[in-house]
Amino acid sequence: MAVHDGSPRHWGVRVPTARRAGGAAPASAGPATAAAVVASAAAGAYVLAGLRILTGFVFLWAFLDKAFGLGYATASGRAWVEGGSPTQGFLGGVAVGPMEPVFHDWAGAAWADWLFMLGLLGIGAALTAGVGLRLAAVGGTVMMALMWAAEWPPARHLSDGSPSMSTNPFVDYHLIYAVVLIALAAAGAGATWGLGRIWARLPLVGRHRWLL
């Protein structure tokens, strides 16, 4: 994303059982079939875990680049720690859509900068660690929806009449990221290669399941 300007006592890999992966193998199934079900469930868990970590890195990198000006989407002189605004360039450059004036008002505001940066850091850390995926999904979906509205893919032309260069009137990468976040949370993807199991056993999380 680039915004321009095992054992419950172990943290290691735990192969999901067939029952956890969506139901046990039929009683009549032979050892080979049962093993195939377990292997398939494990492979699916690993794929989701990898997707979760990679997606988390997307958000973490966006935070680090904007905070410290690593020279990718953000030049060093425009880093947040040097007084630059993470939202000024993107929101100030919005030139299409019904929320264009709203985004211009938000551009460079301190509260917008803090919310945006804390969102990137929180979502990235949650995904990477495999905890709080439901909160990450909600927060990330809101963020992606706002960024989708800022780019406004349905428009063929910008406010000044120039081509918008939109290639699809609805589906863009912001929508894909939102769906990925929701899918990871729904699948409980923090249990593999993450701290999801430990997190779920915390008393606070046990009392408030929306923290999963």
Side-chain angles (χ1 to χ4, degrees):
M1 176 178 59
V3 182
H4 295 282
D5 359 345
S7 168
R9 298 181 181 178
H10 293 83
W11 293 7
V13 174
R14 179 183 176 93
V15 177
T17 63
R19 183 179 299 277
R20 286 197 181 96
S28 59
T33 302
V37 171
V38 172
S40 177
Y46 297 150
V47 169
L48 286 175
L51 178 62
R52 188 198 81 235
I53 293 170
L54 289 174
T55 306
F57 182 72
V58 170
F59 283 87
L60 282 180
W61 180 261
F63 169 81
L64 293 172
D65 184 61
K66 292 186 173 303
F68 303 107
L70 301 181
Y72 287 82
T74 306
S76 58
R78 302 179 64 181
W80 192 32
V81 296
E82 297 181 33
S85 170
T87 62
Q88 180 64 58
F90 181 65
L91 294 183
V94 172
V96 68
M99 293 186 65
E100 178 181 346
V102 176
F103 288 134
H104 287 174
D105 289 339
W106 292 357
W111 65 266
D113 290 343
W114 276 95
L115 282 179
F116 180 55
M117 294 298 281
L118 289 177
L120 290 176
L121 178 60
I123 295 167
L127 290 172
T128 304
V131 302
L133 296 186
R134 294 182 181 179
L135 285 174
V138 172
T141 297
V142 171
M143 181 183 291
M144 292 299 105
L146 288 171
M147 294 174 72
W148 183 92
E151 295 195 0
W152 200 249
R156 296 181 180 180
H157 298 88
L158 302 180
S159 299
D160 62 3
S162 61
S164 69
M165 306 304 291
S166 175
T167 60
N168 189 299
F170 180 65
V171 180
D172 76 342
Y173 66 100
H174 297 109
L175 181 60
I176 300 301
Y177 276 128
V179 172
V180 166
L181 291 171
I182 294 170
L184 292 173
T192 301
W193 294 344
L195 306 179
R197 296 186 190 280
I198 296 174
W199 178 260
R201 291 199 301 269
L202 295 177
L204 178 63
V205 179
R207 293 192 300 270
H208 305 284
R209 305 305 288 175
W210 54 270
L211 291 172
L212 283 172

